[in-house]
Amino acid sequence: WGLGRDLERLRDTERQLGELTQQLAGLTEVNNELNRQSSGRAGAITHLSAQLQDARTENMRLSATLQEVQTQLHGCEQRLADSEQRRESLQQEAEHLRSRQMDPQLTQQLLATQSLLKSTYQPQHSSNADGSAVGGWLQEAASLL
């Protein structure tokens, strides 16, 4: 009877060994599939890491370009402000000159009057008070022209 029990235990052990072998084969297949997935994910992570580095490099390049454009914009704004001040200054100067400019018709009248006065009042003596006053007035009028 000892031998029967030993045979029975041997059959149980072989059955358990068969079940464990089947479980091991299933687990080995699952492990292989997980390794394939892990390898694929590692490749994807490597690819994404390279893309992230490229994006960081592009971001740095764009930041430098933005800084350069902002510097140029500031320079343009400054030149625009300077040009505006210069334009205002020139406009004021033009208004000032325009206010001092004589009307062409008035200029013609003054020239005609000067000519008439010169021909009419020829001072006979330099001591003549009216003649020298007119002469001084004529010189002043001539300086305005």
Side-chain angles (χ1 to χ4, degrees), residues 45-59:
I45 289 172
T46 301
H47 179 71
L48 290 173
S49 294
Q51 286 181 331
L52 178 61
Q53 184 59 39
D54 290 346
R56 285 180 177 155
T57 301
E58 181 69 8
N59 185 29

Side-chain angles (χ1 to χ4, degrees), residues 31 52-53 62 79 135 141:
N31 185 41
L52 178 61
Q53 184 59 39
L62 290 173
R79 286 190 301 277

Side-chain angles (χ1 to χ4, degrees), residues 57-122:
T57 301
E58 181 69 8
N59 185 29
M60 288 173 45
R61 187 188 67 76
L62 290 173
S63 293
T65 300
L66 175 62
Q67 183 67 31
E68 183 180 327
V69 167
Q70 286 175 334
T71 300
Q72 290 174 355
L73 178 61
H74 178 71
C76 289
E77 287 172 341
Q78 185 62 45
R79 286 190 301 277
L80 181 62
D82 293 346
S83 294
E84 183 63 24
Q85 286 178 345
R86 178 73 176 139
R87 185 195 62 78
E88 287 175 8
S89 172
L90 289 173
Q91 188 175 11
Q92 288 174 354
E93 186 177 340
E95 287 297 321
H96 176 71
L97 291 174
R98 203 173 292 125
S99 71
R100 293 187 64 208
Q101 184 178 14
M102 294 179 103
D103 180 37
Q105 205 172 22
L106 179 60
T107 302
Q108 289 298 322
Q109 288 176 348
L110 283 174
L111 288 173
T113 303
Q114 180 185 18
S115 177
L116 179 67
L117 286 173
K118 279 185 179 180
S119 66
T120 306
Y121 291 102
Q122 289 293 328

